[in-house]
Amino acid sequence: MLRTLNIENIAVIEKAEIEFNNGLNVLTGETGAGKSIVVDSINAILGERTSKELVRHGADFAFVSAFFSEVDLSVSKKLSELGYDCEDDDLLLLRRISTEGKSSCKINGRPATVSLLKEIGHMLVNIHGQHDSQALLNPDYHYRYIDMLCENKDIFGEYKTAFSELIKIRRQLKLLTEAEDSKDKDIELLEYQINEIENADIKVGETDELNARKRLIDNGEAILKAYNTALSLLNGDDENNGVILALNSSYSEIEAFSDDKNAGKISDLLEKVCDNLEVIKQTLNSAVDSLYFDENECEQIEERLDLLFRLKRKYGETEEQIIEFLENAKEKLNLIVYDDIKLEELNAQYDNAFEKAVLLAGRLSEERKKTAKRFEASVKEQLEFLDMPKIQFNVSFDKGNLSSSGFDKIEFLISTNVGEPPKPIAKIASGGELSRIMLAIKNIIAANDTVGTLIFDEIDTGVSGRASRKIGLKLKSVSESTQVITVTHSAQIASVADEHFLIQKDFDDSRTYTRIKPLDYEGRRHELARIMGGLNISESMLASADELLNYNN
């Protein structure tokens, strides 16, 4: 569950720390005080998309951290799979957002990506905002609530695998069918490309070798001159003795006095020098002999390099890429040439894959229908408590086209008046009814989920009086097994809180600041009175607040 939330430079919040209770945590405050900013901050730490506009004006960055304790075993196992430690079931998430819109994240002190935060965040916190109630108006989302409660989770994986295989085969069939229209043209082009590359007989590294040989030819005359100059120095000419002859002569003269310590040492060194000079001479002679170039070779190299340049412009930047292009072209040609056989095979595979997907979709539908019966009964029970005792709630099933979610078209139907047939929620539910239905569904899902924290952002929208109180009691009931954090404008809901936080806007000469503080009993009674009566708090309002607080204790 969420223990501590730290916020820095998020919108009008310069710096705030909130320590949440295990049970029901309520946040209240005047409109515009910054209640939604707290929820935005939690969304940010859970890896949801953010904007640089979230950063407080004048600050370079925004920062949010969240400390969770007693995380579920499934979260610890997932973190371990991702390479993160979760000692003592504690977890610290951090996110920093710059004014350029860039994010840096950490999980237990180690760098992470936003996508990793999101993957873990969905396992830690379930946030219900006003847009979630609106999701009830779209029947395309209704199947998801049923799927969350299905007991046989294996069927989802089996169906998804079967459907993915069906789509894969369908794509291959589509490619082959489209290829028929341009078959002859494609064959002609591929055969030309294959012949051009094969005739070139390209070798990997050939360009580098040719360029090196070309440089050698271009510099051949200068190299030969240098070699001959060195040989002249070593061999000498008609007028001068060469270095080798001169050193050999000196060696002979000094070697005669080898009994002398210095002479012996010098003669040994001269002997080695003379031997090395002979090796140099032989190497130079070999090098001179090798510097023979066919007069047409340079032209041939230029032509070959030009061919390679043209092929690289058409098929790839390197010899490896051109060879890879050749192999791919051969494979494509082979597919086109034998596509009639392949087409027949794919059609048979498609029929089998379709039959399997339909069979599994049927099993998935049966599982959903069993779950829907339990779901209907649970929702009715929840709504009776939430002051909707006469409501009918049904899950309607129709068969549609096969898709990634099966072939079921699921829609929630309600009737709020006795004798009236159930109709789609979107047509007859009011805002207050939507809020209560959504709370009922969230409560049912929470009982079957491992998420440790539920957040409700203004679940009381469109609800007041007795119904609002029932929502508060239901939230209180949920908080006995799951931590609940709620933003509310309802005094009835706020009065049942285990921990009550006031979000308050303050001003100085030039800036607006938001403060978040936990309320004691006196603070709570004044805040409840403000919610019920506005800015002018009377003794009767304070008495009503006392009554609410004492009634719940």
Side-chain angles (χ1 to χ4, degrees):
M1 62 188 67
L2 178 58
R3 289 296 184 192
T4 307
L5 180 71
N6 281 286
I7 305 170
E8 291 185 30
N9 298 325
I10 299 285
V12 293
I13 299 179
E14 184 177 36
K15 193 168 186 178
E17 179 177 284
I18 311 174
E19 294 187 2
F20 292 105
N21 192 285
N22 285 13
L24 176 58
N25 299 265
V26 166
L27 291 83
T28 64
E30 294 180 7
T31 301
K35 298 186 295 298
S36 62
I37 298 171
V38 175
V39 178
D40 290 342
S41 299
I42 295 174
N43 271 316
I45 202 63
L46 297 179
E48 296 297 331
R49 182 176 295 178
T50 62
S51 166
K52 62 182 180 181
E53 304 302 324
L54 201 63
V55 181
R56 180 177 169 82
H57 179 68
D60 295 326
F61 66 90
F63 174 84
V64 187
S65 71
F67 175 71
F68 294 84
S69 67
E70 302 173 36
V71 298
D72 189 77
L73 179 60
S74 61
V75 178
S76 300
K77 290 176 69 174
K78 186 64 177 180
L79 285 167
S80 180
E81 290 173 9
L82 296 172
Y84 293 89
D85 295 326
C86 188
E87 296 181 4
D88 301 322
D89 297 330
D90 291 339
L91 179 61
L92 179 63
L93 304 181
L94 298 96
R95 186 172 182 184
R96 187 178 186 273
I97 305 162
S98 72
T99 50
E100 287 80 29
K102 297 179 180 179
S103 287
S104 61
C105 311
K106 288 186 178 181
I107 298 176
N108 277 349
R110 293 184 54 202
T113 62
V114 173
S115 60
L116 280 182
L117 277 190
K118 190 168 186 176
E119 187 172 357
I120 295 299
H122 285 168
M123 303 175 72
L124 295 167
V125 178
N126 189 321
I127 298 181
H128 167 70
Q130 294 183 50
H131 67 280
D132 292 312
S133 292
Q134 296 304 309
L136 280 177
L137 301 177
N138 187 349
D140 292 340
Y141 293 103
H142 291 179
Y143 78 92
R144 298 181 183 180
Y145 300 112
I146 304 297
D147 289 356
M148 289 179 191
L149 300 170
C150 285
E151 294 177 352
N152 181 11
K153 300 296 184 185
D154 293 338
I155 185 64
F156 294 104
E158 292 174 20
Y159 176 74
K160 183 171 284 189
T161 300
F163 186 76
S164 296
E165 182 63 22
L166 179 67
I167 295 301
K168 178 182 175 183
I169 297 171
R170 182 189 292 172
R171 288 185 185 132
Q172 291 175 333
L173 276 170
K174 184 179 179 182
L175 287 174
L176 273 181
T177 304
E178 291 174 348
E180 283 293 320
D181 299 334
S182 57
K183 183 175 178 180
D184 293 338
K185 187 176 181 180
D186 289 344
I187 289 175
E188 183 180 351
L189 175 61
L190 287 168
E191 286 179 341
Y192 171 81
Q193 292 171 333
I194 290 168
N195 289 333
E196 184 176 36
I197 297 173
E198 285 187 334
N199 291 338
D201 192 24
I202 294 172
K203 304 292 188 300
V204 175
E206 184 179 358
T207 302
D208 292 339
E209 292 177 5
L210 289 171
N211 280 319
R213 182 65 176 170
K214 183 176 181 298
R215 285 193 298 272
L216 184 62
I217 293 173
D218 291 342
N219 297 321
E221 185 176 343
I223 295 172
L224 185 62
K225 182 178 178 181
Y227 287 170
N228 286 327
T229 299
L231 283 171
S232 295
L233 288 172
L234 293 175
N235 295 328
D237 52 30
D238 295 338
E239 297 180 3
N240 300 300
N241 292 329
V243 172
I244 293 176
L245 182 60
L247 285 176
N248 277 326
S249 175
S250 296
Y251 164 72
S252 298
E253 291 178 9
I254 296 174
E255 201 268 339
F257 304 101
S258 59
D259 291 341
D260 178 72
K261 180 179 178 181
N262 290 328
K265 186 175 181 180
I266 292 170
S267 67
D268 288 343
L269 292 171
L270 283 171
E271 183 179 15
K272 291 178 181 178
V273 170
C274 291
D275 290 343
N276 286 333
L277 288 175
E278 284 294 337
V279 172
I280 293 172
K281 177 182 174 181
Q282 293 172 10
T283 304
L284 282 169
N285 283 324
S286 297
V288 169
D289 293 339
S290 69
L291 285 175
Y292 170 75
F293 307 112
D294 186 290
E295 61 183 13
N296 296 320
E297 184 178 1
C298 190
E299 184 178 346
Q300 293 169 353
I301 290 174
E302 290 283 4
E303 290 177 355
R304 183 64 178 175
L305 286 172
D306 181 64
L307 173 62
L308 291 172
F309 175 76
R310 285 186 283 109
L311 292 176
K312 286 179 180 180
R313 290 188 64 182
K314 294 168 71 173
Y315 305 120
E317 296 179 357
T318 64
E319 289 95 341
E320 290 92 336
Q321 290 178 359
I322 295 174
I323 293 170
E324 183 181 355
F325 184 96
L326 173 63
E327 296 304 318
N328 289 336
K330 288 180 177 178
E331 186 177 345
K332 289 179 183 177
L333 181 61
N334 187 60
L335 283 174
I336 293 175
V337 171
Y338 296 101
D339 62 355
D340 290 339
I341 299 173
K342 184 68 174 176
L343 189 61
E344 187 176 340
E345 291 175 353
L346 283 175
N347 275 316
Q349 290 176 21
Y350 183 82
D351 290 341
N352 291 333
F354 183 80
E355 184 179 342
K356 183 177 180 180
V358 170
L359 178 65
L360 288 170
R363 288 173 53 193
L364 177 57
S365 182
E366 291 172 6
E367 183 68 26
R368 283 170 171 163
K369 286 173 182 176
K370 287 191 295 184
T371 304
K373 290 296 181 186
R374 300 192 303 271
F375 182 67
E376 286 175 346
S378 298
V379 171
K380 288 175 185 175
E381 181 183 349
Q382 296 282 336
L383 291 177
E384 283 180 11
F385 179 82
L386 293 170
D387 252 20
M388 299 176 71
K390 303 299 183 182
I391 192 169
Q392 292 185 61
F393 180 88
N394 299 111
V395 181
S396 167
F397 279 80
D398 280 325
K399 191 172 182 179
N401 296 326
L402 207 62
S403 70
S404 59
S405 59
F407 55 51
D408 289 320
K409 294 175 68 176
I410 296 175
E411 185 170 12
F412 297 159
L413 309 178
I414 64 167
S415 172
T416 56
N417 298 307
V418 176
E420 291 292 325
K423 295 179 181 178
I425 282 180
K427 293 184 178 180
I428 60 174
S430 67
E433 288 167 341
L434 278 177
S435 295
R436 281 178 280 176
I437 294 170
M438 195 70 232
L439 176 58
I441 292 173
K442 287 282 184 176
N443 190 24
I444 294 166
I445 292 172
N448 295 270
D449 203 353
T450 58
V451 170
T453 302
L454 289 176
I455 297 177
F456 294 93
D457 187 8
E458 300 188 8
I459 190 67
D460 54 305
T461 299
V463 179
S464 60
R466 175 183 167 87
S468 182
R469 174 160 182 76
K470 287 297 188 75
I471 289 176
L473 293 175
K474 178 56 66 178
L475 291 172
K476 182 74 170 179
S477 173
V478 174
S479 71
E480 292 174 3
S481 58
T482 304
Q483 182 190 43
V484 175
I485 300 169
T486 183
V487 176
T488 184
H489 292 288
S490 167
Q492 287 87 347
I493 293 175
S495 68
V496 299
D498 295 301
E499 191 73 57
H500 188 164
F501 298 92
L502 174 63
I503 302 179
Q504 193 172 35
K505 188 180 289 186
D506 288 335
F507 305 90
D508 63 16
D509 293 336
S510 58
R511 296 300 298 270
T512 302
Y513 297 89
T514 289
R515 293 189 299 119
I516 303 171
K517 64 177 182 178
L519 297 178
D520 56 14
Y521 181 87
E522 190 63 25
R524 291 186 70 187
R525 67 193 290 263
H526 276 83
E527 176 61 5
L528 294 183
R530 182 198 66 79
I531 295 173
M532 290 186 288
L535 295 177
N536 298 317
I537 298 173
S538 65
E539 287 300 322
S540 61
M541 292 174 188
L542 289 172
S544 296
D546 282 327
E547 185 178 350
L548 276 176
L549 291 169
N550 292 326
Y551 182 84
N552 295 312
N553 292 321

